[in-house]
Amino acid sequence: MKIHLTSVFVDDQRAALDFYTDVLGFQAHHDIPIGDDAWWLTVVSPEQPDGAQLLLEPAGHPAVKPYRDALVEDGIPLAQFGVDDVQSEYERLTERGVEFTQPPTDLGNVTMAVFDDTCGNLIQIVDRW
């Protein structure tokens, strides 16, 4: 068994695609219209184009908003991405205007940081994963 696809809920799929590709550096993988202003929209890491896909899923279901609001209020990330060096990614993303809610923090076995993806989610980056 392996992870093939996971998702994050996003308020605006087109804005999310811009953020996840232009700012974070992922590549668009699928961009398939599926109905009224909705797409099967996935991105992948350029380092693993055949790896797990991240679905930028519309946040329209009524359960999504209270779920995401509670996570953000408590500072809990919705997703976690691995990077080679958290400090370098922090500096690269900060230069691109990304707002971090938690700067790089060394926890001994892992360094982590948390940023706002501008789509309604907190995302954690970690190294030594």
Side-chain angles (χ1 to χ4, degrees):
M1 186 178 300
K2 59 185 175 182
I3 296 173
H4 175 70
L5 178 110
T6 188
S7 63
V8 293
F9 294 108
V10 298
D11 298 323
D12 178 325
Q13 286 187 290
R14 303 322 293 184
L17 179 62
D18 290 344
F19 181 81
Y20 276 79
T21 57
D22 297 342
V23 177
L24 297 184
F26 288 103
Q27 295 176 338
H29 188 73
H30 289 294
D31 189 354
I32 303 168
I34 56 172
D36 299 329
D37 293 325
W39 292 265
W40 183 259
L41 187 55
T42 67
V43 296
V44 294
S45 168
E47 298 168 17
Q48 294 180 315
D50 296 323
Q53 297 174 49
L54 180 66
L55 174 65
L56 304 176
E57 187 164 2
H61 190 281
V64 173
K65 182 171 178 19
Y67 169 68
R68 288 193 314 163
D69 287 351
L71 290 177
V72 170
E73 185 174 323
D74 289 346
I76 299 171
L78 184 69
Q80 186 177 73
F81 302 147
V83 298
D84 291 334
D85 180 1
V86 167
Q87 184 64 42
S88 295
E89 281 299 306
Y90 172 80
E91 292 168 8
R92 182 182 76 86
L93 295 175
T94 299
E95 288 175 6
R96 292 174 173 232
V98 174
E99 293 185 21
F100 279 78
T101 61
Q102 181 175 348
T105 304
D106 188 342
L107 301 176
N109 292 332
V110 65
T111 301
M112 57 169 280
V114 178
F115 65 86
D116 179 343
D117 76 350
T118 72
C119 306
N121 309 296
L122 296 179
I123 304 294
Q124 184 176 60
I125 54 174
V126 298
D127 59 20
R128 291 179 269 169
W129 35 283

